[in-house]
Amino acid sequence: MTDVIVRDVRIVPLDTDADQTGPGSSRDPGRRDILVIDGQIAAIGVALERPEGTVEMSGEGRWALPGLWDHHVHMTQWGLGQSRLDTGAVTGVEETQALVRARLTSGPLPPSGVVTGWGHRSATWAVQPTVAALDEVSAHVPIVLVSGDGHHGWLNSSALALVGAAPTAGVIAEGPWFAIYDRLSALPGVHEEGEAGVAAAIRAAHTLGIVGLTDLEFGRPWEQWRHRKAEGMPLVRARVGVYAEGLEEVIAAGVRTGDLVTGTRGLVTMGPLKVISDGSLNTRTAWCCEPYADGDRLEDPYGAANLSAHELHELMDRAHRGGLHVAIHAIGDAAVHQALTVFASTGAVGGIEHAQLVAPTDLELWGRLPVRASVQPAHLLDDRAVTEQCWPDRSGHTFTLRSFLDHGIEVVLGSDAPVSPLDPWLAMAAAVHRGPLDGQSWHPEQALSVREALAASVDGQRLSVGGRGDLILLDEDPLGAADGTSGDQARLLRGIHVSATVLDGQVVHGG
């Protein structure tokens, strides 16, 4: 931990109701110094005295914000994705086959012996993925292609045999797929590949102003982060989740949400119980109140719940009584409704992750609960086409960010990396414009303002005395296009340059 004083910065106001003239208010035109001592903001003022031994940084009039957070990542998967075959741009089976063939001839296989890809989104393809299609590419080299939503795997016969899976004709989705993915992580070289990717990803995150992550990785992420800190991984704050299979162990150890994870230099805390209550839109397993518009081609035209209401109640009640918050993955409106009902009946605290499709009639109940909406706005860029195909009659009820705020529901933003890039500026731009930079806004009535998007990306922090010693310096004023169009505002956000990142009083990027 290092003490630092940052001179001559302009604090970006994040609260629209601020009417005082102090630092960070909407009427404050001045520049300030920010002093961080022992990882905490100790003073904000003009020409502050520098304590002996304190590092001094010149802000040069740059704009200052609290450090950014990504509130939903799968860090090991994101790390592995840095070296995997990118299939995100493919538009069909034949194009995928060509891409995999090119990979097989481009160089040696990884130590695992498996060609692994990530990113395809097959929901709108005229011809759906099959095992036979990948067998045509290679009958001997195992091929595993993970869908861009992470909810299904497309394997060839060699890969199915490698992981001990039963023969099948098409993709493997949801619970059976998650079990296979866990087996893949134990293959030779995968751990080392993932950890190298995580280190590189953290360094890249610092350049974007990220100081903290909510890591909802499978397995035992608290142990992963303890090892990472011991092995000199770049600094980052992390809040780690636990899944049902580890719940009793965590409760028995007396660990509660918010408790520090020992051996992590005070930067890693216990987070929520994570429950995946339904599937995804791309895999067409998100659980809905009404059938998918193209549901005649599905085994279950409504999608499906992964747990009954009773099973979900038992899990959430156990976590709540054990002192843990709860994070419920719910994408379809039926899954969101079930989650809200169980939050109400158990008194549990936490959030709904994704909340992609929400019935307007559920917003009033939600607004009365201590439950936040943890949303990944960049998903709307990827899911627009499939939404209009599968949910054309309810697309106005997707990614309802404005409705959340209007009903008093706290909103926090994230990426769900590797489902979308670990880039908070992309997430904020998507929340503000709801479309590509060169395209029209999709349901603009549900957009956030730039100030609201920024406030949803800083883990509730403000640059004020007593706050965490995390801050970033920007070369541009993020509110500088407030009078422009949403496209102008999104372009400004995407072009922001983070010139310095301070984490726990230490300069981890720039200076």
Side-chain angles (χ1 to χ4, degrees):
M1 188 180 299
T2 303
D3 299 338
V4 63
I5 186 166
V6 184
R7 301 283 192 192
D8 190 33
V9 298
R10 289 179 273 195
I11 297 175
V12 178
L14 298 182
D15 299 307
T16 57
D17 58 352
D19 59 2
Q20 72 277 14
T21 57
S25 77
S26 58
R27 299 182 184 178
D28 175 32
R31 301 182 179 188
R32 299 289 190 276
D33 301 339
I34 301 175
L35 175 64
V36 177
I37 301 291
D38 292 334
Q40 188 175 68
I41 297 176
I44 298 177
V46 178
L48 293 178
E49 181 178 347
R50 180 176 69 88
E52 185 177 352
T54 300
V55 173
E56 185 166 0
M57 177 191 300
S58 176
E60 300 175 334
R62 288 173 285 180
W63 285 264
L65 277 173
L68 302 179
W69 275 67
D70 189 313
H71 288 94
H72 187 130
V73 302
H74 301 272
M75 204 58 194
T76 299
Q77 293 182 55
W78 176 246
L80 286 167
Q82 307 310 297
S83 58
R84 287 180 168 173
L85 179 66
D86 182 1
T87 62
V90 298
T91 59
V93 171
E94 290 185 359
E95 193 174 340
T96 306
Q97 290 174 314
L99 189 66
V100 177
R101 284 192 184 99
R103 170 63 187 88
L104 287 170
T105 59
S106 65
L109 295 175
S112 66
V114 179
V115 171
T116 306
W118 173 282
H120 70 275
R121 295 176 181 273
S122 55
T124 59
W125 294 0
V127 176
Q128 289 297 295
T130 63
V131 172
L134 289 185
D135 284 346
E136 291 177 17
V137 177
S138 176
H140 306 292
V141 176
I143 301 169
V144 178
L145 305 181
V146 187
S147 64
D149 59 12
H151 280 253
H152 78 245
W154 178 12
L155 288 69
N156 67 351
S157 295
S158 180
L160 290 171
L162 176 68
V163 298
T168 185
V171 302
I172 302 175
E174 302 305 332
W177 161 243
F178 295 143
I180 288 173
Y181 190 87
D182 193 45
R183 290 173 222 160
L184 292 169
S185 67
L187 293 175
V190 172
H191 172 76
E192 293 77 10
E193 178 187 5
E195 291 305 286
V198 168
I202 294 172
R203 287 190 288 268
H206 289 160
T207 69
L208 296 172
I210 294 175
V211 300
L213 312 159
T214 298
D215 186 11
L216 298 175
E217 190 60 83
F218 294 113
R220 302 165 62 83
W222 53 92
E223 288 189 351
Q224 287 180 308
W225 283 102
R226 186 180 291 122
H227 291 316
R228 286 167 182 164
K229 298 303 181 184
E231 294 168 5
M233 186 74 70
L235 295 182
V236 73
R237 296 188 190 274
R239 187 177 292 128
V240 298
V242 60
Y243 287 77
E245 55 268 26
L247 177 60
E248 291 304 325
E249 176 189 349
V250 168
I251 291 176
V255 180
R256 307 295 184 253
T257 294
D259 288 353
L260 290 175
V261 174
T262 58
T264 60
R265 293 189 261 179
L267 295 179
V268 181
T269 60
M270 190 66 214
L273 166 71
K274 171 72 180 299
V275 181
I276 302 177
S277 76
D278 74 339
S280 74
L281 171 58
N282 179 65
T283 302
R284 286 187 174 82
T285 46
W287 183 31
C288 304
C289 296
E290 302 294 332
Y292 287 72
D294 56 353
D296 55 348
R297 57 191 271 193
L298 304 177
E299 182 177 345
D300 190 333
Y302 292 81
N306 291 332
L307 299 95
S308 68
H310 174 73
E311 290 169 330
L312 186 59
H313 186 283
E314 290 293 302
L315 267 178
M316 291 175 64
D317 182 62
R318 180 68 180 120
H320 180 53
R321 288 186 290 108
L324 293 171
H325 290 187
V326 181
I328 304 297
H329 163 118
I331 288 182
D333 52 354
V336 171
H337 178 78
Q338 181 192 64
L340 291 172
T341 301
V342 179
F343 268 113
S345 64
T346 60
V349 175
I352 294 181
E353 304 295 322
H354 313 306
Q356 191 161 333
L357 176 64
V358 179
T361 51
D362 278 331
L363 292 170
E364 183 178 350
L365 169 61
W366 194 339
R368 299 196 301 267
L369 297 172
V371 178
R372 66 186 188 177
S374 176
V375 187
Q376 299 75 45
H379 290 2
L380 68 85
L381 303 175
D382 298 321
D383 282 355
R384 178 172 179 171
V386 68
T387 298
E388 291 178 339
Q389 175 175 309
C390 297
W391 299 338
D393 54 339
R394 61 207 101 155
S395 63
H397 302 153
T398 60
F399 301 99
T400 54
L401 305 180
R402 170 56 46 204
S403 293
F404 291 146
L405 291 187
D406 288 347
H407 284 81
I409 300 163
E410 179 189 3
V411 174
V412 297
L413 304 185
S415 66
D416 197 16
V419 179
S420 63
L422 206 168
D423 182 348
W425 302 102
L426 171 63
M428 287 187 275
V432 167
H433 181 51
R434 297 180 63 90
L437 295 183
D438 58 351
Q440 294 295 312
S441 179
W442 186 49
H443 293 290
E445 71 278 3
Q446 291 294 346
L448 298 184
S449 71
V450 173
R451 196 190 309 267
E452 289 166 339
L454 289 166
S457 305
V458 296
D459 201 42
Q461 294 294 298
R462 298 293 185 269
L463 292 181
S464 58
V465 174
R468 295 179 199 145
D470 303 337
L471 63 98
I472 62 176
L473 300 184
L474 313 177
D475 288 351
E476 302 83 16
D477 178 3
L479 303 178
D483 295 331
T485 67
S486 64
D488 294 335
Q489 294 165 10
R491 278 186 285 275
L492 173 62
L493 290 172
R494 295 290 286 128
I496 287 284
H497 178 248
V498 179
S499 54
T501 301
V502 176
L503 196 169
D504 200 36
Q506 299 186 53
V507 181
V508 294
H509 162 65

